[in-house]
Amino acid sequence: MMPFDPRQLVGDLVVTLDADVLGGAYPDRDLPPEPAPRVLARHGITAGAVASLRAALFDMVSGNDETLASATPAGIVPVGALDLRDPLGAVREMERLAALGMRAVRLFPDEQGVEAGFPSVRHVAGRAAALDLTVLTGGDVRRFWRPLAGLGLRVVFLDTHFYHLGDFLVTAADEPGFHTSTRLLNSPDALETVAGELGAERLLFGSRTPYYEPLVPLLRLGTGGLKPDEVALVAGGNARRLLLGEPS
């Protein structure tokens, strides 16, 4: 008997841009067995928005330059990683990346030990808004919404857990630029709740490949109750609008 392949449940679903992909290594973790592009391709994900762990944890300029050098027309969309422990340097790096045509930056508060109330977060967020950059951010949405609010900023919260979905919904109702990744929205009705309350335009598929398994968010999106046009938005249309400036 052939073993059951759960990817069959996804059917013809194709994700055209995964908003949460990492390049490089954590200092305290083993390298994943497969590089991100191979994992994405194996799961029918045609492109990933990649941010550098080297830039986030060691050296912003060299890490981001590595990501820029690896960019491809179809497969890798570079996202600038910033170090909130160095807010002045992070602003300089944002300005450099914006001048090179980059449209998005990523914050790593948990990995850097940065709390939502630190002045660096608000400072960097304000400059990102002035540069018209989309901000992808980790961290608990119940705390990190506050320094990112009131700036007219486009934000994607990458760590919104379905336990905290209510808090995201009430903050995002007043902030039209607030979006969320689907990675941890794995309860039976989480995606449908966001679509019903805010619109499917506020959801971006994210997997955190290669450090997490993309199959779970794929299954949730492919077997849920969203309409086909809503699935298309979540599966890449919204990410391409925010990160590439394409119409969704």
Side-chain angles (χ1 to χ4, degrees), residues 167-181:
D167 292 291
F168 170 76
L169 292 172
V170 296
T171 59
D174 294 327
E175 290 285 340
F178 280 11
H179 302 71
T180 182
S181 166

Side-chain angles (χ1 to χ4, degrees), residues 83-101:
D83 192 339
L84 292 168
R85 298 168 297 187
D86 178 12
L88 300 182
V91 166
R92 288 193 296 270
E93 180 66 354
M94 272 195 295
E95 293 170 344
R96 182 181 80 95
L97 295 173
L100 293 172

Side-chain angles (χ1 to χ4, degrees), residues 48-143:
V50 179
S52 165
L53 288 168
R54 176 180 176 84
L57 301 175
F58 300 107
D59 182 76
M60 282 184 282
V61 174
S62 64
N64 287 326
D65 281 345
E66 287 178 353
T67 304
L68 285 164
S70 69
T72 60
I76 294 179
V77 174
V79 172
L82 302 180
D83 192 339
L84 292 168
R85 298 168 297 187
D86 178 12
L88 300 182
V91 166
R92 288 193 296 270
E93 180 66 354
M94 272 195 295
E95 293 170 344
R96 182 181 80 95
L97 295 173
L100 293 172
M102 191 173 286
R103 299 181 59 90
V105 292
R106 180 165 174 164
L107 309 182
F108 292 79
D110 289 346
E111 290 87 345
Q112 294 164 4
V114 172
E115 298 177 10
F118 286 10
S120 61
V121 183
R122 185 71 174 181
H123 179 72
V124 168
R127 188 58 185 146
L131 291 167
D132 196 29
L133 295 171
T134 296
V135 172
L136 311 178
T137 185
D140 189 330
V141 68
R142 297 170 298 174
R143 299 183 180 92

Side-chain angles (χ1 to χ4, degrees), residues 20 27 43 75 94 107 156 176 185 197 204 232:
D20 185 358
H43 287 84
M94 272 195 295
L107 309 182
V156 183
L185 298 182
E197 294 291 330
L204 283 72

